[in-house]
Amino acid sequence: MSDATDAAADSSVTVADRERHARDPVRRVALDCVVAGIEAAHPQRVVADALALDDGRLSVASVDGATTTRDLDEYDRVLVGGAGNAAGHFAAAVERLLGDRIDDGAVVTDDPVETERIAVLPGDHPTPSDRGVESARRVRAIAADAGEADLVIGLITGGGSALLAAPATGIGLDDLRATTEALLASGATISEINAVRKHLSAVKGGGLARAAAPADALGLAVSDVTGDDPAVIASGPLSPDPTTYADALAVLDRYGIDAPAAVTDRLERGAAGELAETPGPGDPPFDGAGVDVRIVASARTALNAAREVAAERGYDPLVLSLRVRGEAREAAKTHAAVAEECRAAGEPVEPPALVLSAGEVTVTLGEEHGEGGPNQEFALSAAVELDAAGPDGAGVAVASVDTDGVDGATDAAGALVDDRLVDGGRDGSLDPGSAARALDAHDAYPTLDEAEALLRTGPTGTNVNDLRAVAIGSGESRSEGTK
C-alpha cells in the first residue's frame, strides 16, 4: 500500500464513522478514493510537490507540466495576498517554504490556520460578509503598496469569489449579498456567476493585478472550476477578464435575476460606456510579462490520486470526465447508467471497476425548497436509478463530495450510497416514493441523514470542486447487512 493510500485510510479528513460507511469492499474503495483525492489536493501536499526553493530561485510546476521560475533575490520585497477556502493552509505551506523571504502578506479564508508572516484574515462563504469586506481591503492595500521592484505572490483557491469581497464604488454589501444568493440559486454556471461578480468588485476580474502594478505578480492557483480557467477561479483577481458589463447584464436577464437597483444601475452604466471596463487581455497590467498565473492543483490532481488507490485495490479505474456539469440529478442518471453497463456487459470497463468524474453539478432551486447540496442530490438520484436498474445495478457504490467539505449550505461534504439504499423500504432502506419526493423538493439532506448516508468531513483545507467515485464490484463479496 502506498503512502497516498495510507493517508487516505488514516487521514483526519476521513469521516469519524468510517467503519459504518465502509462496511463492504465496494463501499470502502469508493470512500477511500474520494478521501485520497481530497488529501492529494491539500495545499501542504501541493506545495511540496509543485514548488521548490533553490538558492533563492523559486520554481513552480503547473498541472500541465510547465515550469516557471522567479529569482527572489532580484526583488526588493516579496508580498503575499490571496483568498479562498484553502488560502490559510496555502499560506502556511508557502510560509514554511519561503520563510523570512516574505516581507508582508494577507489572505482571506473561512478555514483559518496559524501563521507567522502572512496574516490569515476572516471571511465568509458562499455569500460575502462585513468581515470579508474588511479583510479584502487589507489584501488589496498590500498589493497596492507594492512597488516596481517588488513581487506579489497571489494564493488563489476556490471560494475566493465570496471571500475576497471588495464591492465596487456604489455597491453595498447587501447589494452584493442579494445578487450572489440569487445567482447561486438560479442554476447559472460558475463562469456566468463570476462574470457578474467581476463587474461589481474592486479586486476581481484583474482588479488585484491592476492594484499591484507596476510590481510583478505571480499567481498560484488551486482550481475549483471546470476547465481550470484562471479568469474564473476566484473570479480571476490576477487574470485578464474576457467578459464585459454587457455579458453580466445578459446573465441576470437569462436567469431572471431581480438584482438590487444599485447593481443593475452599475451594470447598465458600464454597458453604456460610462464606467471603465475590467482589464482584458492586452490591457494594462496584462500587456507585458509581469503578471503570470499558474495552476498548481486541480480536479485532475484529485482524480489521479483516486485512480491510484483504485488500481492498488484491484479495481480497473476509468476517468469519465473532469468536466461534468448540469443538473445534479440528471448527471447522476448518466453515471448510474455507466455503472449498469459495466455490470451487464463489461463496457466501458470490466468489473471490478471504478468510474471517476469531477466538475461542478448544480441544482436549480425554486422559491420553496428543502435542505441539501448538489452532491447530496447527485447521490440520492444515483441511488434511485440503481434501484430501478434491477440486478444489473447490484454491487455498486457511489461517493459524491464537494472537496472543500461543504456541500451547499450544510455540514456535509456529500454522501455515500449504494444500490440497496432505495429498495422499497425493506431492511431499513428508503422507499422509492419518499426518495423521489425528496429529490423533487430539493430536500436530500434529511433523507440521506436518516439513512446514515451523509459524509461529514469538516473543512478539508482544499477545494478542487466536486469529486465522484462509482465503484462497481464483481458481485462476489457483499455483506448481508448492507442496505
Side-chain angles (χ1 to χ4, degrees):
M1 183 178 291
S2 71
D3 291 341
T5 306
D6 288 337
D10 300 326
S11 167
S12 60
V13 172
T14 307
V15 289
D17 48 0
R18 167 183 164 76
E19 289 306 314
R20 173 173 55 80
H21 280 295
R23 57 183 175 264
D24 70 33
V26 179
R27 292 171 62 91
R28 188 174 302 119
V29 72
L31 177 60
D32 285 352
C33 284
V34 295
V35 171
I38 292 171
E39 289 285 321
H42 192 281
Q44 182 174 341
R45 179 88 65 87
V46 170
V47 168
D49 291 344
L51 274 65
L53 184 66
D54 183 16
D55 196 25
R57 293 191 67 84
L58 174 65
S59 63
V60 178
S62 307
V63 293
D64 62 3
T67 300
T68 188
T69 62
R70 293 291 186 278
D71 187 346
L72 301 187
D73 292 334
E74 292 183 353
Y75 295 98
D76 289 348
R77 294 186 301 165
V78 174
L79 309 174
V80 176
N85 301 120
H89 295 272
F90 208 171
V94 168
E95 191 176 87
R96 282 192 290 271
L97 177 66
L98 300 185
D100 60 9
R101 290 182 177 274
I102 298 172
D103 294 280
D104 195 8
V107 298
V108 189
T109 187
D110 57 349
D111 185 15
V113 298
E114 291 187 7
T115 52
E116 294 182 2
R117 309 187 72 86
I118 304 171
V120 176
L121 306 176
D124 291 281
H125 180 271
T127 54
S129 65
D130 286 307
R131 64 179 187 169
V133 170
E134 291 301 315
S135 298
R137 287 173 179 160
R138 170 80 180 278
V139 171
R140 187 183 185 282
I142 288 173
D145 184 54
E148 187 173 4
D150 296 334
L151 172 66
V152 176
I153 298 177
L155 307 181
I156 304 163
T157 81
S161 292
L163 289 159
L164 198 64
T169 302
I171 301 296
L173 177 59
D174 288 343
D175 300 323
L176 201 60
R177 184 183 289 122
T179 304
T180 300
E181 290 175 346
L183 286 165
L184 291 174
S186 70
T189 67
I190 191 62
S191 297
E192 291 171 323
I193 292 171
N194 286 356
V196 178
R197 285 166 155 170
K198 291 175 185 181
H199 290 87
L200 304 177
S201 171
V203 292
K204 299 178 178 67
L208 193 63
R210 177 183 275 168
D216 284 353
L218 174 62
L220 308 177
V222 175
S223 174
D224 71 325
V225 300
T226 300
D228 299 336
D229 184 352
V232 180
I233 304 165
S235 295
L238 292 175
S239 298
D241 181 16
T243 70
T244 65
Y245 283 104
D247 293 330
L249 275 173
V251 172
L252 297 185
D253 181 65
R254 187 176 306 129
Y255 292 96
I257 303 297
D258 184 17
V263 169
T264 55
D265 177 66
R266 176 178 175 81
L267 297 182
E268 287 172 354
R269 289 174 59 213
E274 298 175 20
L275 300 174
E277 267 291 356
T278 49
D283 294 335
F286 304 111
D287 52 352
V291 181
D292 189 15
V293 178
R294 298 294 173 131
I295 310 297
V296 294
S298 68
R300 187 172 295 281
T301 306
L303 281 178
N304 285 342
R307 179 161 47 189
E308 289 179 8
V309 170
E312 288 169 357
R313 303 289 178 82
Y315 284 70
D316 194 358
L318 170 71
V319 174
L320 189 63
S321 175
L322 280 80
R323 301 168 183 263
V324 173
R325 53 196 180 271
E327 288 291 315
R329 64 189 297 179
E330 298 303 319
K333 294 177 182 179
T334 299
H335 284 66
V338 171
E340 293 158 12
E341 191 67 16
C342 289
R343 288 286 288 144
E347 296 288 349
V349 62
E350 182 78 29
L354 189 91
V355 176
L356 291 159
S357 75
E360 184 173 36
V361 293
T362 54
V363 175
T364 303
L365 299 174
E367 292 185 4
E368 295 185 6
H369 57 82
E371 189 177 8
N375 288 281
Q376 294 164 52
E377 194 151 315
F378 180 99
L380 185 57
S381 178
V384 170
E385 290 300 310
L386 290 170
D387 174 67
D392 288 344
V396 177
V398 179
S400 182
V401 297
D402 193 328
T403 53
D404 67 359
V406 181
D407 183 40
T410 73
D411 64 352
L416 171 61
V417 302
D418 59 34
D419 51 281
R420 299 187 185 183
L421 181 68
V422 181
D423 192 21
R426 295 184 294 273
D427 300 323
S429 64
L430 297 175
D431 176 73
S434 64
R437 286 190 293 273
L439 286 170
D440 290 340
H442 302 301
D443 198 30
Y445 179 94
T447 300
L448 292 169
D449 194 21
E450 183 179 355
E452 298 184 332
L454 291 173
L455 292 175
R456 293 183 174 92
T457 64
T460 63
T462 190
N463 186 356
V464 289
N465 222 321
D466 299 339
L467 177 62
R468 292 166 288 271
V470 182
I472 306 104
S474 59
E476 297 176 352
S477 56
R478 301 281 297 173
S479 299
E480 291 184 3
T482 303
K483 294 179 182 177

